Amino acid sequence: MLSKLIREILALQPDSREVEAKGWVRTKRETKNIIFVELNDGSCFSGVQCAFDRTGVSAQALEALASLGTGASARVSGRLVPSPAAGQPVEIAATDIEVYGDAPAEGREAQPEYLGAAPYPLQKKRHSVEFLREIAHLRPRSNVFGAVSRVRSRLALAVHKYFSDLGFVYVNTPIITHADGEGAGNLFQVTTLDLDAGVKAGGDYSRDFFGSKAFLAVTGQLEAEAMASALSRVYTFGPTFRAENSNTSRHLAEFWMIEPEIAFASLEDNMEIAEGFIKALLRAALDDCAEDLAFFDERLEKGLVKTLESVAGAKFARATYTDAVRELEKAAAGGAGFEFQPRWGADLQSEHEKFLTEKVFQGPAIITDYPRDIKAFYMKQNDDGKTVRAMDVLVPKIGEIIGGSQREEDLGKLCARMVELGMDIPAYSWYLDLRRYGTVPHSGFGLGFERFIMYATGVANIRDVIPFPRAAGRSGL
């Protein structure tokens, strides 16, 4: 891999030793005597410059170089030597090249037709993310999506490391469920029945594959609670699905969620783990993806690295929802100019969350004790009868990045809340058993992986931080 080769280059002095590089052509430029080819295999941001002296290579190599274009794949061999050019310590004095596959810029005649005649679409110029979204199978070769993919991979590793170091057990929860875990009703139905001929007419799901209505899961939390009731500390990390017909830059139909669940844990315990989690992920990105983040800082969001560093080193402020609304109402009265007027009982909007982190607390904050009527049924009820032990972790620039709560461990209170909301109690009998038998205080939270990647990279649209986005109106390549 080039990343391994480059690490060796930076660690050792060039010694004119023979090396070999394989990858795709990023650029090719020519002078009178030299042909320069930059190769990159995607393992790191930087490529390797290969310099071919026209007088020192074979006729076959010159023939291969003549038609070599951006996007072609090749193997280059030569000697590692000091580079006379600025910005790179060494280069390959290339002596031979083998082209694995070309990528013509002008197209070509193709017989039969299905071989394709179109030119390679990723030429040496800036392409809009909208254009790249239309060629999802090729966009990972672009600078921005290659960098996003490497950061995503490193953050996924950091997720597992953080929870493993704290003694959590990684569990896999179902992607098919009979329950609406969030109570929002935005569910994808899964069935093997002919909807037109059968279900719409009679609604008989006893003949269906699972014997009843089934849906893609919007969360793994409820099952994670069952696992935590036996293993104490667990976390899930996998795909979830929401049939919310939204085309905003923050919504996907299929996205990945990280959901830890902690037995014998209060809301305060939950907040400490959530704060440590955000800092650990940011530290991993800053330490191990510095080159990619520098690219994002330059091209996508000026000051990105400084922002991430400040959050990674901050002590997160704590405030109740009531206190936060009081600050927002004060700001609104002073002419803050919110689009949505803050008021107690309404959910905080993104503009409110950003104002709190950037103006009030001047850093990340955790807001707790939200009104129970705007939160999920499973959250622990406070003694005031109006609020629940919920928390949202807010960070500058985007607002909420984590949502969580202490769960209601009291069977009577949980059942009463479910009845109040008109929920199907028998459908949740297994969930209630967790309170009937050995119930304990427990807490948990959820972090949308793609939204965190947006924050860490400065990418503005959530569809650009997942390799193959699934959203309203788009389900394939």
Side-chain angles (χ1 to χ4, degrees), residues 192-204:
T192 56
L193 297 177
D194 184 332
L195 290 174
D196 293 326
V199 177
K200 286 184 179 178
D204 180 11

Side-chain angles (χ1 to χ4, degrees), residues 167-210:
F168 280 72
V169 177
Y170 175 42
V171 298
N172 302 116
T173 54
I175 63 170
I176 295 178
T177 180
H178 297 289
D180 182 357
E182 294 290 343
N186 298 317
L187 300 171
F188 287 102
Q189 187 176 343
V190 178
T191 181
T192 56
L193 297 177
D194 184 332
L195 290 174
D196 293 326
V199 177
K200 286 184 179 178
D204 180 11
Y205 286 93
S206 64
R207 298 178 291 110
D208 205 350
F209 187 88
F210 293 106

Side-chain angles (χ1 to χ4, degrees), residues 413-433:
K413 289 182 179 180
L414 182 60
C415 284
R417 180 65 173 148
M418 293 171 74
V419 169
E420 181 184 347
L421 294 172
M423 297 176 65
D424 182 4
I425 302 296
Y428 293 86
S429 61
W430 67 270
Y431 186 67
L432 297 175
D433 276 352

Side-chain angles (χ1 to χ4, degrees), residues 4 53 182 188 191 229 276 295 300 308 314 416:
K4 181 174 183 294
D53 187 328
E182 294 290 343
F188 287 102
T191 181
S229 70
F295 168 75
L300 300 185
L308 301 184

